Every structure is written in structure tokens, then in C-alpha cells.
Amino acid sequence: MAPISALIGSTEDSARQILDAIESQFQLSDDALVRITDQFLKDFRLGLSEYNHPMAMIPTFVTGVPNGSETGLDLPRPRSRWNKPVRSRILTTECATYFTLFSRVCEVQLKGNHQFTLRQQKYRVSEALKTGEATALFDYLADSVDAFLTEFPSSPNSAPPDPFATGSSALDLLDTSDSSPAVPLGLTFSFPVEQTALNRGKVLTWTKGFSAKNAIGHDVVQLLQDAFDRKHLHVRCVALVNDTVGALLSRAYTAGGCILGSIFGTGTNGAYVEKVENITKLGDSPARKHGGDMVVNTEWGAFNNTRTTLPTTPYDNKLDRESINPRLQAFEKFISGMYLGEITRNIILSLIDAAPYPILFNGRASALLNKHYGLDTAVMSEIEQAWENGRDQPSSNDKLVNGSHAISNASAAHPHPSLSTPTRHFTEVDKLSPEDRSRLERIRNIVIQRFALDAADVTLRDAAIVHWTSCLVANRAAKLSGCAIAAVLVQTEKAKLGGGFVPKDEKITIGVDGSLIEHYPNFNARLRASVRTLVGEEVEARLNIGLAKDGSGVGAALCALQATKQGL
């Protein structure tokens, strides 16, 4: 594997060899994918048997998944003559990151027949809150809920508190002789938590750029409830949900079942349905004695923090060293949207700095390219989409289908612009067709605008190299994402590593959420190609990978529903 130092001493003739050496570092052979997936399985089993491992395999105490018929709360109402389940107003709040930092408050109404309605409002989280005192962050979350309740004081579908009125709120029908009941709220918390009950969990670590002080080791539900109490809000946090658990439950609700909820966005993680008997670290706890199934939050973003199996390059090492959490969240730094743009920026800068002959932009950078995290993954997506637009066989088949939210089994696109002639190097832009040159011109315009470069310093060849760089980084991310999904399929006995296994299930439903899987061109196709390599065509063909619509909000509401039924 050629080091970055190979770029020093570059010549006009060596540019192609340098680019090919970089490409070789990002390629993943079939054998490498199998080794990575096998290590995933070993870490799964270790995390299920012992605490305090990077792959935490956190029991969530969610012991079932919905089937889409759930409509509300069965609550005792001594003074009510209404005996049927009714639709309930359930609030959820979310502390999460996508390409923008925000908290989100939702009101969810479960209607049955796999349907729900949702109202939501987002509230931007500042950098100061992200890195300041935890009490300030949770006070802000409480303020967000307060603002939502002020703007939306009641459900639009709720009728006056008449027990015989159709659509009456379950909360309105409670016995309120002493005081009105607190509004139940489910908290989606998209960070590692050691969960000890449906409504209890200690913060293990911050990820995705958060580092709020005095939160680690504290119960996140209590932190939020204390904030509600300080502000005298009549809201009770009854359930704690990781966003991957929310994705699983949401997809199960809309599709009638689901085995895995996964996030491929700013961060990455997965939660799946495991046999309780396999979670041996629960010991003789009542949860394990009861048997059955339980949703496990894998925290797979921390897979292989030692980097003994992951295909590390100098560009990854630079990113990790300069991050706020060096040597942690290794897998997440290879595949998530927060980091892909930075890996790409590191490669581009090394090509600009190649000496004595620069390979990109006449050796000129810009303030944006010189800025840490100055290149957003969304720009990579825009560059790849500019190449896809107008192709005779576009790989846009890989997008989510409206309505069913199913993702097709499209083939993975080749990462090089010169698709038609395998022996032609992608930098030979003068040999491309007029149509391909037109696509590169679109990419060149994006590069000039998004990188804030002088047009005179950006050629079509530069545009081809930037496109190639984006494809290299995104293709590796998608293949590694496929390893995580394949590991869950093997762990749940839906597949066999290496293929040759025909599952009994006609379809295997997986819920996904996140900007990469939903919007990045070809990401899903590349992911599916990786899964197909690992577990065979029979299993991959039965995968029903669908968008977990509003997973964080609906999943938290479903957990709040379960918690309220349990009297939490």
C-alpha cells in the first residue's frame, strides 16, 4: 500500500501510477469482505456475552415488534363508559444529528392498518450546546418540547373530552379527579447508552461530534426528566429509544414485521431482533428467564476500534487523529456521512500538494478545502448525481420508491467515469464521448462553485479525478455497510456466510434511515452488491430493504405506547 509520501517526487508521467496506488488502498476484495463480516460475527457474540466491549450489543428491553395493527392505549378509566382502544396523543423528542444538528419534537397518532399521522417541528442545536454543559443541552430539549406544546396545544384529530365522541384522546379519557395526566414522551437518543430498562439508560459516550460535559455515566432519561421538572412541564419521559430501534419498530409497523433497523446517515448503527437466550450477559435476570426475543442495539459504529481488520489508509489515519474521539468509532469513520467528505478532502489535498508536479488544480487549494471538515458529503452526492443524470442506463433505480418505500436490487455502478472501455484510464478525458465530456463539464462547474476555486485552475481531467475520488470513498463505505447487514443476516440464521443457504422466508424485511441510504446515488446498489457477495443471491434477492419512514419519531412513540401499557 503506497503511503502519502509517494506523492512527493511525482512527475508528469507518474500521476497515473499515483492515482492507481491510491485506488488500490480503497479496493475491497471478496475475501476481505468475508474477513470483515466474520469479525463482525465474533464481536457480536462477544458483546452478547460480556459487558464493556466496543461493540456494546446493548439489550433494549423491547421484547417485541409491532405488526401495524396498533392504534393506541388500553388504559383503565373508572369513570368512562368507553371500553374500546382509542387513538392516543404521544409525544417524542429526539437528540440527533444529520447533515444539520437539531432536536426534533413530534406528535404521533397510530391509526392501525400500518398507518400513522405525524406532526413535527425541528429546533436547531448550536455548537455551544453540543460541547457545553449537559444540563444546558437537556434544558434546550425541554424548551423544544415546551415550544411545540405551545404551538400545537392539542392533537388536530382530538375531539372534546366526551367519552362517546369518536377520536377522543386517550389522555382526555383518563380519570383526572386530582390532576390531568402527564403527556407521555418517548426519547430518541442517537448515542451509545447502556440501557437497563425501557425507561432507564446511562450515557456511555458521545459520538458524531458531540461532547457535552457531565453526561457520561448519567441516566439520560433522568437528565431530560429533570429538565422538564425544572421548567414545570407536565410531561413524563416514559421510554428511551435508540434511533436504530426506532427505525426497526417503524418499519415493522408499516411493513408488518422487520428484523433489522439501521442508520446510514451522519452516523451509523444497527438494531436487530435477537433470541433472549443468546444474550448471556443478562445472566439470571427476569428478562432472560422470560425468554422470547429482544431488540439489541449493536452500536456497530465502534466495530474494530483496533483497526486490525478494517482497511485503514493514511487518509483514514489522518481523519481519526484529528477527530475529537481518536481511536474510537472506527467503523463509523469509514462509512458515515459525517466523515466521507473529510476523507475525500484529505485525498484531494494530497493530490494538490503532490510535488514537484501537483496532480490537481495547478497545486492551488481554497480556504474551504483547507478547512477541517470543509467538504460536505452532500457535495460528493451532488458530484455523483451530476454524472448519473442523463445516462442511458442510470443507476437511479436504486432510489427509494414512493409509497412502498422499497429499494430495488439495482447493480452497483463502476466507480470510474470511463465505463465503456475498461482498458482506458479514467484520466484520458479527451477519449471520452461527447456525452461523458458534457457530464464532466457539469462536475467541473460544481467543483468550481462548491470548492470556491478559480475556473482557470480546474480542468475536465481535474473534474474526472474529483469524481473518481468521491466514488472510491463512497463505494468503500457502501461495501462495508453491506458487511454489517450480512452479519445480522447470519447471526439471525437468515443466511450463511459464503452463500449456499436458501431461507424459508419469502422476504426478509430491513428498515433503513439516513441521508446516505436515501439520497446518495448508487449507495444502496453498492451495498446490495456487497451483501450478495457475502451471503449469496438467494438471500439478497429476498431482502426487502425499505425506508423506515419517520423512524425516530414513530419508533419512540411505539416504545412510549408499550411503556404506558406497562405503567411506566
Side-chain angles (χ1 to χ4, degrees), residues 301-458:
F303 167 67
N304 200 221
N305 279 345
T306 58
R307 297 174 180 248
T308 54
T309 306
L310 287 170
T312 301
T313 72
Y315 309 101
D316 301 297
N317 288 338
K318 180 176 183 292
L319 179 147
D320 180 59
R321 185 175 63 254
E322 296 174 347
S323 70
I324 66 170
N325 55 348
R327 313 304 297 174
L328 298 175
Q329 295 298 109
F331 189 63
E332 184 167 82
K333 290 172 180 173
F334 278 80
I335 74 170
S336 67
M338 180 172 181
Y339 301 105
L340 299 188
E342 182 66 3
I343 298 171
T344 302
R345 188 185 74 92
N346 286 340
I347 299 173
I348 289 172
L349 283 179
S350 74
L351 298 174
I352 292 172
D353 292 337
Y357 293 98
I359 296 174
L360 271 180
F361 310 144
N362 289 326
R364 293 180 173 87
S366 64
L368 186 144
L369 282 175
N370 287 328
K371 180 182 177 183
H372 197 208
Y373 290 95
L375 179 57
D376 199 302
T377 302
V379 177
M380 296 170 58
S381 178
E382 186 178 0
I383 287 168
E384 290 216 47
Q385 190 59 57
W387 178 262
E388 294 299 322
N389 287 341
R391 286 181 56 189
D392 291 337
Q393 294 181 334
S395 17
S396 55
N397 294 342
D398 139 269
K399 296 193 179 201
L400 298 172
V401 178
N402 291 331
S404 67
H405 303 289
I407 301 178
S408 71
N409 180 14
S411 299
H414 193 282
H416 280 174
S418 52
L419 299 175
S420 57
T421 310
T423 57
R424 179 187 304 154
H425 199 268
F426 74 91
T427 57
E428 297 175 358
V429 297
D430 56 323
K431 298 180 181 179
L432 292 177
S433 68
E435 291 80 8
D436 285 348
R437 288 176 64 86
S438 177
R439 294 184 184 94
L440 283 183
E441 188 62 52
R442 290 200 296 266
I443 293 173
R444 176 178 175 271
N445 290 332
I446 292 170
V447 169
I448 292 168
Q449 181 181 3
R450 301 298 188 206
F451 292 12
L453 291 165
D454 191 314
D457 292 324
V458 184

Side-chain angles (χ1 to χ4, degrees), residues 82-272:
W82 187 260
N83 296 318
K84 296 181 180 179
V86 295
R87 294 170 193 169
S88 163
R89 184 186 195 197
I90 303 173
L91 290 183
T92 71
T93 190
E94 175 181 4
C95 183
T97 60
Y98 293 89
F99 287 128
T100 302
L101 301 174
F102 66 85
S103 69
R104 182 173 68 140
V105 182
C106 306
E107 178 191 84
V108 181
Q109 290 196 336
L110 305 172
K111 302 171 68 175
N113 297 319
H114 312 287
Q115 302 294 318
F116 61 86
T117 60
L118 179 145
R119 290 193 299 179
Q120 63 177 320
Q121 188 66 43
K122 294 181 180 180
Y123 304 89
R124 185 176 293 274
V125 176
S126 68
E127 285 292 328
L129 288 171
K130 179 179 158 187
T131 58
E133 284 291 330
T135 52
L137 175 62
F138 285 92
D139 279 348
Y140 181 79
L141 295 180
D143 286 338
S144 300
V145 173
D146 189 17
F148 183 89
L149 289 171
T150 301
E151 184 175 359
F152 304 107
S154 62
S155 170
N157 297 325
S158 295
D162 176 354
F164 296 102
T166 302
S168 296
S169 166
L171 296 176
D172 292 334
L173 294 177
L174 285 168
D175 182 358
T176 58
S177 54
D178 296 325
S179 62
S180 61
V183 177
L185 179 139
L187 168 63
T188 298
F189 195 69
S190 307
F191 305 93
V193 170
E194 189 65 66
Q195 199 156 349
T196 55
L198 191 56
N199 62 344
R200 289 286 180 268
K202 292 182 179 180
V203 183
L204 291 174
T205 184
W206 289 110
T207 61
K208 294 172 282 191
F210 273 69
S211 58
K213 302 174 183 65
N214 299 314
I216 306 301
H218 292 274
D219 183 355
V220 65
V221 173
Q222 194 61 53
L223 287 171
L224 181 59
Q225 190 61 52
D226 287 346
F228 287 144
D229 295 344
R230 281 193 295 271
K231 296 176 182 297
H232 306 289
L233 293 179
H234 206 40
V235 177
R236 183 168 179 78
C237 186
V238 296
L240 171 62
V241 187
N242 182 271
D243 53 355
T244 56
V245 179
L248 189 158
L249 297 177
S250 172
R251 184 61 182 161
Y253 187 81
T254 56
C258 185
I259 68 161
L260 168 67
S262 50
I263 305 296
F264 300 104
T266 302
T268 186
N269 192 14
Y272 73 100

Side-chain angles (χ1 to χ4, degrees), residues 503-519:
K504 298 178 181 179
D505 312 75
E506 291 186 6
K507 67 175 182 178
I508 304 169
T509 300
I510 291 175
V512 295
D513 198 4
S515 305
L516 283 175
I517 193 71
E518 185 175 0
H519 299 301

Side-chain angles (χ1 to χ4, degrees), residues 3-10 18 22 315 350-351 353-357 359:
I4 291 179
S5 59
L7 302 179
I8 300 174
S10 69
I18 289 172
I22 292 172
Y315 309 101
S350 74
L351 298 174
D353 292 337
Y357 293 98
I359 296 174

